[in-house]
Amino acid sequence: MRAAMLAERIKAARRHDLLLAALTGLLTALCAAVRPEEDWQRAVGYSALTVNLSLMNAVVMPLAMAALASRLWDMETRGSGCRLLFTLQSWESLFGAKALRGLVQNVVICLAEGAVFLLAGRMWGYTQALEIPRVLWLMLCTFVVNAMRFFALLALSVRSGTQVLPLAVGLACSLLSVFTAFMPERLTLLTPWAYDVPLSAMRMHYDRETRITAYEPLAFPAGLLAAAVVCGVLGYVLARRAVRDQEV
Amino acid sequence: MDNIIETENLTKRYGGVPVVRSVSLAVPQGSVYGFIGPNGAGKSTTMKMLLGLVKQSGGSVRLLGREMNAENRLALLRQTGSLIESPSSYGHLTARENLRIVAQLKGVEETEIERVLRVVHLDQEKARRVKAFSLGMRQRLGIAQALLGRPRLLILDEPTNGLDPEGIREMRDLIRSLPQTAGATVLVSSHLLSEMELFVDYVGIIDHGRLLWQGPLARLQAERGGEVVVTRRSKTLEEIFLDLIHEQGEEAAE
Ligand SMILES: Nc1ncnc2c1ncn2[C@@H]1O[C@H](COP(=O)(O)OP(=O)(O)OP(=O)(O)O)[C@@H](O)[C@H]1O
Ligand SMILES: [Mg+2]
């Protein structure tokens, strides 16, 4: 497995994977962080960031994970890599190395998003107390849902042998995620790729008269996170099988 | 002489259709074995089964004196180099980086890389990205990948694909020299029968998935060679080959 990881690192030369992952996380979270103009906004800064970021993730990450998965696999398709690799390493070690690289980039995305909480609070003087457990929860949920999206789209990349299909599916999921924000909560359970929103454990109430938005912290939905983990494991199994069945 | 590759009734069916039928290859150690057959005869499929890239529908493979199975496969292939159909490479990497991947996975010293680059005359191009390579240069890179780690057995599927006449001659000289210089055995397939004749000492002729003949080239020429009536020269391998597959076709028709 060590050799497989090192080989994968050579393949990643000049691709700037980690930099791209960090930028994806930073930009997504920075777009979600509203610059407060009034005191009440400063007083709910982190809550607003949580709600906005969970929606941003649901919209941006399906496409980002499609790009990540297809970038990782496309080089094997283009260069008919498997024909040579499968004489040198087991399919398990190839899949393992790809999975690990994908998950590491996913961790970088989540860390970058977490960093924006610290950054935004300082830059824009949020007066709300930062609840570290909520930030960690959000990072954990983003990681799990991203892993689900990554594996499912990796399975699609491997099976289809093209970049087009996973990117198209990623884009479709991204667009559909926009609508999940306006769906009744029960319906959102049917769209696991957009679990970021129900997992955020923060609800927004908008008062039309005062034009003030209030935020209600909710208990962490552990059951839903467990469901996301199950979907992630399913995606993992699908991707693993796709690599196993790869024709050479 | 021991056989370095031995298959017994090796068979492959795709969706019920047999494409390799009961092939029993015997490749003697230290030989250059030419595996010849027309398009779609089953050469690549047989070679893929030897490498465990494709699962056989029946029969068995012995490599380097051992029955190949899921457990020992990669260990046996560590002493084997292969190039099947088109070479595998990563376009965004340089020739050297491509070889580093193979060296890493094979557990071979990086100094080996410089050696194989010189053997295939790519040492001047080693820092160039492979996507800018010509077909022939990619083919050489594929050969270099196969040669890494001084394997005891080389399985080369149409290694002269895309090479110019000069390149073909070099490849021929290289393959012919491998048994002496590296103690390697080479199984090589090709369409270029007139070429094959110049550097193989054993041949296996396959058509429609059946092994029609195998043995020393000299014996094939002695048994089947005869003379071409018109020109009174002895038959070329190409002519023997065409005779054999025509006979086979007539038998099948009867
Ligand atoms: N994955 C596959 N699915 C179905 N049929 C296949 C598959 N791979 C090969 N075949 C069939 O098996 C037969 C043998 O193919 P193979 O590639 O082994 O021939 P070959 O002797 O290498 O030919 P060529 O000289 O053209 O390379 C062909 O009829 C081909 O169509
Ligand atoms: Mg072939």
Side-chain angles (χ1 to χ4, degrees), chain A residues 11 14 76 79-80 83 86, chain B residues 73 86 88-90 92 97:
Chain A
K11 292 181 204 171
R14 293 182 293 275
E76 307 299 344
S80 13
R83 201 151 53 215
F86 287 172
Chain B
R73 178 180 159 256
S86 56
S88 302
S89 58
Y90 300 94
H92 67 287
E97 285 164 339

Side-chain angles (χ1 to χ4, degrees), chain B residues 209-227:
Chain B
R210 283 211 180 81
L211 192 63
L212 303 181
W213 199 93
Q214 79 174 330
L217 177 65
R219 202 173 87 213
L220 180 68
Q221 282 159 339
E223 269 180 23
R224 319 254 341 175
E227 273 185 350

Side-chain angles (χ1 to χ4, degrees), chain B residues 16-88:
Chain B
V17 182
V19 299
V20 174
R21 310 170 195 223
S22 284
V23 166
S24 299
L25 280 182
V27 178
Q29 185 151 11
S31 63
V32 176
Y33 185 110
F35 195 33
I36 59 185
N39 285 129
K43 302 181 295 293
S44 300
T45 307
T46 304
M47 288 173 143
K48 284 180 189 173
M49 285 193 281
L50 296 179
L51 295 165
L53 288 173
V54 158
K55 211 167 153 27
Q56 66 253 41
S57 314
S60 62
V61 174
R62 277 180 83 79
L63 227 55
L64 304 147
R66 283 165 63 194
E67 186 93 22
M68 188 164 74
N69 54 41
E71 281 75 49
N72 65 15
R73 178 180 159 256
L74 287 174
L76 290 178
L77 294 186
R78 224 163 251 276
Q79 306 173 55
T80 306
S82 65
L83 170 60
I84 302 293
E85 288 174 344
S86 56
S88 302

Side-chain angles (χ1 to χ4, degrees), chain B residues 10 19 25 29 32 34 48 53 67 75 78 95 118 121 140 142 146 153 171 187 194 198 201-202 207 236 242:
Chain B
L10 197 59
V19 299
L25 280 182
Q29 185 151 11
V32 176
K48 284 180 189 173
L53 288 173
E67 186 93 22
R78 224 163 251 276
R118 277 194 300 275
H121 303 297
R140 286 165 205 266
L153 170 63
M171 185 66 66
L187 172 66
S194 48
L198 300 174
D201 27 48
Y202 275 74
D207 186 30
T236 63
L242 290 173

Side-chain angles (χ1 to χ4, degrees), chain B residues 107-120:
Chain B
V108 168
E109 294 282 321
E110 297 231 341
T111 48
E112 260 286 282
I113 295 174
E114 302 302 326
R115 181 185 72 85
V116 295
L117 279 166
R118 277 194 300 275
V119 171
V120 300

